[in-house]
């Protein structure tokens, strides 16, 4: 908007409208009746007796008849479409033809202007609207459990928590009437550093975990440590004994080794209001469903759902899969995939009305942590998430098995064979989908060189000679590794050399060129990646023999635990991508 043409931002009249002129294809400002109307000059009539250079009257024009000054001037008749353009009068230059933009581009530019107005807020009205949105946002302390907030230059980990607490009108029939708001649905959303991919990891509510002690800010500003619980259901990490979302955040860190940057909490209303704001989301059923518990009644096939029906969809479980919480997780993932597709569609992104409704619904329905408590911060996060392609957003679930301690199966425990791999892939920022990345040639060369160090002949374990230093691993790691190598791996020519002179972030194995075969064997035994192998020199041990040096870094997890980062999800792990439509079974 031209500030010179409209004056100060605070004088904007809500009745002023930008409308599309169908004759010109341009947007024009239609002012309120009380506003001053811009004068539009009419065609200048030739003065009586005025002649051109040939002495005749003005070419192609007639002299306008005399009329009263108060009579409105009649615009000239527009040239019919397809008619040839008239020649300009002799001695006068014709107007330079104006190159028009296509109407589609104009509409997109107008839409972009609306969104810039709402999101950036350079004008007075936009500032007031942003202040209104800020007023909608509810936040609670992260109690120091987060990383301090997401960073645009790093991978992002957002903890999304859906509670079963009854809040708001119309929710009396849902959830547990006496619930304090447990972590009923929890997803750890990991967005890669380069923003090419993301993983949404669902955490079952009935997973048995250790809830740690949780320092929690109280209403009076004081801090209370809420005692932890061993062997508890994951959903009790929120609400139980006064636990806040920061305690759920600590529990996730304890479980996965991943510290979330921020959290967002939603209740039943969020599903209803967000789906209504976007005009519904499309879901698919592989069979008819009539679930009396969730109130979902839909026939087989595709449906567009919103509001109460959408809430019933994400809450249903007895009519899908095996009828348990794990089946409900899958239907929720299918729903979120559909919502993501709708949010990324042009139907939503080019609709100012829907975007404003989303801003209202989102800021009212969510409770965020204290590091994410303004519309500016939410906008910045939204910009980062908006870079994602839905085909590279993978939904998966923490691998679990039935709790062996129960006769009647009601809870689950971690699948020890696959869960660590899933957690490690997320920590290492490894994509769960095949993503084409534009890697630098130098990085490719370095990766190839590291991989080449592992290729070639290997010495026998009994020929490997190595000394072990602790350079940042847990106390006692060098001794425990020595015992494991000698007793379990057959590397008998090994010794504990104590603490390293400096701590290292990553474990390294330094060796001389003639020890390459020994290095490859030790790497295979311990699960060392090629990047851990450092060609250099050997040292002389107490017996005067050349020896390799293994320095255990902060990444060392224990004897026999591989340090080679997984590059693929185990086949037994369930996963799906947000771009594909899947029908609930």
């Amino acid at each position: 908007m031209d500030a010179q043409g409209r004056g100060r931002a605070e004088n904007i009249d809500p009745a002023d409208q930008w409308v599309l002129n169908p004759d010109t294809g341009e947007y024009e400002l239609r002012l309120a009746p009380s506003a001053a109307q811009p004068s539009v000059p009419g065609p200048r009539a030739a003065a009586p007796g005025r002649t051109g250079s040939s002495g005749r009257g003005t070419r192609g024009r007639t002299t306008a008849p005399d009329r009263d000054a108060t009579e409105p001037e009649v615009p000239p008749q527009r040239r019919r479409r397809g008619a040839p353009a008239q020649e300009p009068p002799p001695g006068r230059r014709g107007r330079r033809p104006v190159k028009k933009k296509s109407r589609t581009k104009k509409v997109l530019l107008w839409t972009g202007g609306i969104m810039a107005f709402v999101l950036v807020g350079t004008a007075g009205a936009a500032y007031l609207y942003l202040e209104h949105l800020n007023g909608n946002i509810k936040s609670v302390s992260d109690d120091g459990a987060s990383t301090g907030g997401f960073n645009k230059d790093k991978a992002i980990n957002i903890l999304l928590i859906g509670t079963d607490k009854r809040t708001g009108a119309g929710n009396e029939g849902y959830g547990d009437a006496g619930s304090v708001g447990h972590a009923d649905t929890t997803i750890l959303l990991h967005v890669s550093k380069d923003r090419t991919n993301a993983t949404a990891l669902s955490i079952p509510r009935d997973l048995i975990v250790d809830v740690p002690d949780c320092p929690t800010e109280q209403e009076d500003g004081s801090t209370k440590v809420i005692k932890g619980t061993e062997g508890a259901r994951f959903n009790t990490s929120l609400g139980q004994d006064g636990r806040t979302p920061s305690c759920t955040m600590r529990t996730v860190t304890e479980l996965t080794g991943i510290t979330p940057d921020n959290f967002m909490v939603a209740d039943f209303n969020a599903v209803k209001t967000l789906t209504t704001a976007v005009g519904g989301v499309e879901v698919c059923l592989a069979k008819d469903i009539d679930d009396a518990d969730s109130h979902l009644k839909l026939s087989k096939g595709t449906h567009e759902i919103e509001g109460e029906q959408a809430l019933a969809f994400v809450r249903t479980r007895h009519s899908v899969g095996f009828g348990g919480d794990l089946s409900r997780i899958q239907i929720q993932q299918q729903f979120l995939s559909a919502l993501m597709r709708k949010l990324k569609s042009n139907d939503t992104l080019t609709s100012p009305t829907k975007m404003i409704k989303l801003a209202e619904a989102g800021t009212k329905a969510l409770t965020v942590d204290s590091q994410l408590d303004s519309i500016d911060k939410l906008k910045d996060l939204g910009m980062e998430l908006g870079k994602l392609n839905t085909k590279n957003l993978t939904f998966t679930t923490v691998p679990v098995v039935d709790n062996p301690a129960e006769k009647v199966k009601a809870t689950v425990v971690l699948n020890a064979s696959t869960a660590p791999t899933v957690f490690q892939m997320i920590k290492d920022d490894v994509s769960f989908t095949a993503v084409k990345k534009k890697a630098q040639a130098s990085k490719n060369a370095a990766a190839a060189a590291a991989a080449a160090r592992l290729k070639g002949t290997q010495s026998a374990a009994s020929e490997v000679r190595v000394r072990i230093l602790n350079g940042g691993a847990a106390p006692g790691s060098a001794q425990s590794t020595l015992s494991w190598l000698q007793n379990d791996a057959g590397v008998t020519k090994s010794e504990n050399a104590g603490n390293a002179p400096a701590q290292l972030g990553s474990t390294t194995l330094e060796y001389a060129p003639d020890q390459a075969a020994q290095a490859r064997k030790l790497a295979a035994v311990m699960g060392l990646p090629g990047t851990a192998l450092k060609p250099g020199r050997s040292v002389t041990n107490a017996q005067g023999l050349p020896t390799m040096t293994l320095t255990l870094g902060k990444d060392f997890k224990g004897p026999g635990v591989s340090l080679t980062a997984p590059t693929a999800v185990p086949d037994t792990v369930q996963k799906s991508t947000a771009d594909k439509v899947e029908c609930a079974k």
Side-chain angles (χ1 to χ4, degrees), residues 91-104:
R92 296 182 61 190
R93 297 175 60 186
R95 289 186 179 180
R96 181 175 298 175
V98 178
K99 186 176 182 180
K100 289 187 177 181
K101 299 176 181 177
S102 70
R103 182 168 299 184
T104 302

Side-chain angles (χ1 to χ4, degrees), residues 307-321:
E308 295 286 347
Q309 199 173 41
L311 178 57
F313 184 85
V314 299
R315 293 191 67 253
T316 196
R317 59 170 172 163
H318 298 301
S319 300
V320 293

Side-chain angles (χ1 to χ4, degrees), residues 102-119:
S102 70
R103 182 168 299 184
T104 302
K105 288 184 177 179
K106 289 190 182 80
V107 173
L108 290 176
L109 286 173
W110 168 232
T111 304
I114 281 280
M115 291 314 300
F117 180 75
V118 172
L119 295 179

Side-chain angles (χ1 to χ4, degrees), residues 77-314:
Q77 184 177 0
R78 291 191 298 269
R79 175 168 55 87
R80 290 180 300 173
R81 183 175 297 178
Q86 294 182 353
E87 291 291 331
R92 296 182 61 190
R93 297 175 60 186
R95 289 186 179 180
R96 181 175 298 175
V98 178
K99 186 176 182 180
K100 289 187 177 181
K101 299 176 181 177
S102 70
R103 182 168 299 184
T104 302
K105 288 184 177 179
K106 289 190 182 80
V107 173
L108 290 176
L109 286 173
W110 168 232
T111 304
I114 281 280
M115 291 314 300
F117 180 75
V118 172
L119 295 179
V120 180
T122 55
Y127 172 78
L128 293 176
Y129 183 65
L130 291 180
E131 286 299 297
H132 162 71
L133 292 179
N134 278 326
N136 289 344
I137 298 172
K138 300 181 291 293
S139 67
V140 294
S141 176
D142 68 351
D143 296 315
S146 75
T147 62
F150 77 94
N151 191 305
K152 293 182 181 180
D153 300 321
K154 296 181 180 179
I156 298 175
N157 293 297
I158 305 294
L159 190 63
L160 308 173
I161 307 171
T163 76
D164 58 357
K165 187 175 183 179
R166 294 181 175 186
T167 55
N171 294 324
E172 295 81 4
Y174 298 112
D176 182 359
S179 176
V180 291
H182 294 120
D184 201 47
T185 300
T186 306
I187 295 176
L188 178 63
L189 176 63
H190 171 83
V191 184
S192 68
K193 180 179 178 180
D194 60 9
R195 308 296 185 256
T196 62
N197 64 90
T199 302
L201 180 68
S202 293
I203 303 174
R205 68 176 187 179
D206 296 326
L207 174 63
I208 297 300
V209 298
D210 291 337
V211 179
D213 292 347
C214 298
T216 306
E217 182 179 308
Q218 305 299 298
E219 290 185 2
D220 61 2
S222 63
T223 297
K224 175 184 177 182
V225 177
I226 300 176
K227 196 69 177 173
T229 308
E230 293 184 358
R233 291 182 189 237
F234 176 84
N235 68 340
T236 61
S237 65
L238 176 65
Q240 197 81 10
D241 301 323
R243 292 170 179 147
T244 66
S246 67
C247 194
T248 305
M249 189 177 269
R250 294 184 194 277
T251 305
V252 169
T253 302
E254 186 94 359
L255 172 69
T256 66
I258 302 163
T259 302
D261 300 305
N262 300 97
F263 64 71
M264 293 182 177
V265 184
D267 57 17
F268 293 137
N269 291 312
V271 175
K272 295 193 288 187
T273 56
L274 288 174
T275 53
T276 301
V278 297
V281 297
E282 189 176 272
V283 297
C284 180
L285 296 177
K287 61 181 181 180
D288 296 342
I289 289 183
D290 188 357
D291 190 337
D293 292 315
S294 68
H295 313 301
L296 179 67
K297 186 175 183 179
L298 285 175
S299 61
K300 175 182 177 180
T302 302
H303 301 271
E304 193 160 271
I305 59 174
E306 63 178 85
E308 295 286 347
Q309 199 173 41
L311 178 57
F313 184 85
V314 299

Side-chain angles (χ1 to χ4, degrees), residues 44 74 106 113 121 221 277 280 353 382 497:
R44 287 183 300 173
V74 180
K106 289 190 182 80
T353 301

